[in-house]
Amino acid sequence: MQMLQNSVGRKLVMAVTGLFLFLFVVVHLLGNSSVFMGADGINSYAEHLHALGPVVWIFRLVLLGLFALHIFFGIQLTLENRAAREIEYNEKKNLRTSFGARTMIYTGLIILAFLLYHLLHFTMHVTNPEISVGALAPDALGRADVFTMMVLSFQKFFISLVYVGAMVTLLLHLSHGVQSLFQTLGWLGANSLPVMEKVGRAAAVVIFAGFISIPVSILLGLINV
Amino acid sequence: MNLTLYVWRQNGPEDKGKLEQYEAKNVSPDSSFLEMLDEVNEELIEKGTDPIEFDNDCREGICGTCGCVVNGQPHGPQEQTTACQLHMRQFSDGDTLTLEPWRASAFPIIKDLAVDRSAMDNIIESGGYTSAYTGEVGEANQTLISKPDADYAMDAAECIGCGACVAACPNGSAMLFTSAKVAQLATLPQGKIEAAERVNGMTEAMLNAGFGNCSNHYECEASCPKGVSVKFIAKLNREYLKALPK
Ligand code: HEM
Ligand code: FES
């Protein structure tokens, strides 16, 4: 596997895994937005998802693999990049790069920490069992009541704050990451690069706004049990 | 005009080094940045102090030998200008200038502002050439090259190999330098033959020399005295993808 030792080869792994993680995030957002259709929306979405059985597990394993590769090479490349400048400048002026670009490793690691919390919260029902599926009664149609779990969770200000904060880091990560992956895959030229930088930032903002609209709507009482 | 300089002084690769303060007095706004340093050095020599070591050769902006980081920017504040072509009229009386060498683990410091850039030569030796047999001169126009391809290759060939891209990159990566050579040769018929070995060899040499990996900060393009575009980095990435199955 020559490619996994090469500088560009590993960047390509970052870009491809980043692209699929990005697509997952988009699909996840579309699925979650069924909460705006009330209990009927999200509860039936969740039921259909779980009815897929083994397919769900294949999907989860693929996702785990994507994350593992992305995180492993993200850390490895970052360590090499730091070693490439052992002595820092006393004064360094950056002209083009962005805050998002320079904090990829930090936003990445915060997303990872959030991911673990998110799984413990909504998938494994460990952090707030009293308001999670399992403790809550099934809905009128006998389905797991994901809707009530979401509403009761996000009515807690602190939980909403954690989710919104995590989405800020995702916003930063993607504001650099989206255009970066297109450049890494060699899909950009002198004219398309500045356009893609704007498109990438816009995509990051749309995803951010989409995700936070859920806890914000619940906190504002727009979605209620 | 009068300026205060803070200059990195380091006696050799093993020395620790530190910033020293100097005064540059009665500097003509028409003098070049390197001429200003020459004058400071003359004064230092008169005082019996070691002059400031800095690299330079053509002083015409074409050889790529000069360069130091001036107030945090490789080759100083003027866009697309080498340190030797930078004029003191870019500064004003009373300014403070901090001069530091290119900072990269792959560029050990020789003395003061002069760094050893043989790591870039190693990258070129690993594929930055075409193997051409010498012999009879060929027919003119025997090898046809389209105008857009010729222009594209010429733009890439503008790189003078000064190392400002490495100095500017937050990752100390030599991707702009490497990609300019890969893109230039991969675009021309003579270079297509060895395209796969070239991109593999040069990117491997880049990592082995201790340069970092590109993460698309684009600081390189912004600081390149020749305005070499990061579109060549995308081209290198395409060339690498093409070479993968080989
Ligand atoms: C939903 C989660 C995530 C998404 C959608 C995502 C997406 C992306 C994308 C699109 C890129 C750009 C790839 C390129 O430049 O070619 C990227 C880069 C990066 N990611 Fe992530 N990422 C996620 C999670 C993480 C995590 C958990 C880490 C933890 C280490 C991480 C660390 C990094 C680093 C360090 C880079 C920059 C690598 C470099 O350019 O050298 N990411 N990410
Ligand atoms: S001395 Fe030749 S480019 Fe500056």
Side-chain angles (χ1 to χ4, degrees):
Chain A
M1 288 310 269
Q2 201 72 22
M3 180 185 171
L4 298 185
Q5 276 144 36
N6 186 284
S7 176
V8 182
R10 287 175 297 162
K11 278 288 310 186
L12 284 168
V13 174
M14 286 304 285
V16 172
T17 53
L19 175 61
F20 280 104
L21 290 177
F22 173 74
L23 292 177
F24 161 73
V25 163
V26 172
V27 171
H28 193 48
L29 172 59
L30 290 176
N32 289 355
S33 56
S34 61
V35 74
F36 287 105
M37 300 190 299
D40 234 20
I42 187 106
N43 288 358
S44 87
Y45 166 70
E47 185 169 354
H48 282 111
L49 208 61
H50 289 131
L52 295 175
V55 178
V56 174
W57 273 104
I58 293 170
F59 189 77
R60 282 174 173 166
L61 283 177
V62 170
L63 208 53
L64 183 70
L66 289 174
F67 267 111
L69 286 171
H70 192 82
I71 293 165
F72 177 80
F73 287 115
I75 294 173
Q76 194 188 49
L77 290 168
T78 305
L79 290 177
E80 285 177 13
N81 294 348
R82 301 228 163 134
R85 177 162 299 130
E86 279 151 351
I87 302 168
E88 272 301 325
Y89 290 104
N90 285 283
E91 203 180 323
K92 174 73 166 71
K93 208 173 272 163
N94 287 317
L95 305 171
R96 271 290 289 279
T97 188
S98 60
F99 180 72
R102 301 193 29 234
T103 50
M104 290 301 273
I105 189 66
Y106 304 114
T107 50
L109 290 173
I110 294 171
I111 293 167
L112 175 63
F114 165 73
L115 204 69
L116 297 177
Y117 167 72
H118 182 49
L119 290 175
L120 288 174
H121 177 205
F122 276 149
T123 307
M124 296 188 251
H125 313 135
V126 172
T127 51
N128 294 79
E130 72 290 351
I131 48 169
S132 294
V133 167
L136 296 172
D139 72 2
L141 292 178
R143 300 172 298 204
D145 198 353
V146 176
F147 178 76
T148 306
M149 171 169 75
M150 280 172 85
V151 173
L152 294 182
S153 287
F154 288 136
Q155 278 175 350
K156 292 186 190 294
F157 181 75
F158 188 70
I159 293 183
S160 281
L161 191 69
V162 168
Y163 275 78
V164 172
M167 290 308 106
V168 173
T169 60
L170 185 63
L171 169 71
L172 285 169
H173 203 79
L174 293 181
S175 70
H176 173 71
V178 175
Q179 61 84 23
S180 177
L181 86 88
F182 281 86
Q183 169 80 352
T184 303
L185 290 172
W187 291 343
L188 298 181
N191 297 328
S192 49
L193 188 137
V195 177
M196 200 60 218
E197 283 184 293
K198 290 201 188 80
V199 171
R201 261 181 249 130
V205 169
V206 168
I207 287 187
F208 170 74
F211 274 116
I212 68 158
S213 69
I214 298 170
V216 168
S217 302
I218 290 172
L219 273 181
L220 293 178
L222 300 176
I223 303 177
N224 226 316
V225 273
Chain B
M1 57 200 214
N2 297 318
L3 302 160
T4 304
L5 307 182
Y6 289 93
V7 183
W8 186 260
R9 301 304 308 261
Q10 181 172 340
N11 234 326
E14 305 306 324
D15 187 27
K16 212 166 157 284
K18 61 172 191 297
L19 286 174
E20 298 259 13
Q21 186 182 341
Y22 302 98
E23 303 300 325
K25 295 202 187 76
N26 299 322
V27 179
S28 157
D30 298 328
S31 66
S32 77
F33 178 77
L34 298 189
E35 284 163 348
M36 180 275 294
L37 283 181
D38 289 338
E39 284 176 18
V40 171
N41 272 347
E42 270 175 37
E43 228 179 275
L44 290 181
I45 292 167
E46 269 172 32
K47 274 198 245 160
T49 318
D50 237 10
I52 301 160
E53 186 76 30
F54 60 90
D55 265 331
N56 69 105
D57 190 15
C58 70
R59 298 207 174 191
E60 290 184 330
I62 54 171
C63 74
T65 310
C66 66
C68 65
V69 174
V70 186
N71 288 349
Q73 279 178 262
H75 292 296
Q78 193 177 1
E79 244 179 73
Q80 297 197 21
T81 308
T82 55
C84 60
Q85 290 288 290
L86 178 67
H87 281 81
M88 293 313 291
R89 64 181 83 94
Q90 293 293 325
F91 303 99
S92 3
D93 187 42
D95 276 1
T96 299
L97 308 188
T98 306
L99 313 188
E100 293 179 80
W102 288 174
R103 292 273 184 218
S105 311
F107 291 160
I109 291 180
I110 299 169
K111 192 168 190 292
D112 303 336
L113 303 175
V115 299
D116 179 357
R117 284 168 286 189
S118 25
M120 294 173 95
D121 299 337
N122 296 343
I123 295 178
I124 294 293
E125 280 165 16
S126 312
Y129 51 79
T130 62
S131 308
Y133 295 104
T134 52
E136 294 286 304
V137 176
E139 283 286 319
N141 294 330
Q142 183 181 337
T143 312
L144 295 178
I145 302 168
S146 75
K147 175 74 172 135
D149 280 353
D151 287 348
Y152 184 90
M154 262 323 254
D155 288 347
E158 275 213 67
C159 170
I160 54 175
C162 64
C165 46
V166 177
C169 176
N171 305 339
S173 173
M175 268 292 261
L176 191 63
F177 168 76
T178 309
S179 71
K181 196 51 68 188
V182 165
Q184 178 205 335
L185 296 179
T187 307
L188 301 173
Q190 296 90 335
K192 286 213 162 77
I193 302 156
E194 291 157 303
E197 295 102 298
R198 178 179 308 113
V199 69
N200 287 334
M202 290 182 81
T203 50
E204 201 184 304
M206 189 176 81
L207 196 65
N208 290 343
F211 292 108
N213 310 286
C214 175
S215 47
N216 304 320
H217 290 286
Y218 310 139
E219 285 298 319
C220 50
E221 178 183 292
S223 72
C224 176
K226 297 294 146 185
V228 172
S229 161
V230 293
K231 73 180 178 194
F232 298 121
I233 296 182
K235 169 75 172 167
L236 179 148
N237 294 339
R238 288 197 291 280
E239 288 297 317
Y240 182 83
L241 274 168
K242 258 197 276 174
L244 266 187
K246 295 196 181 156

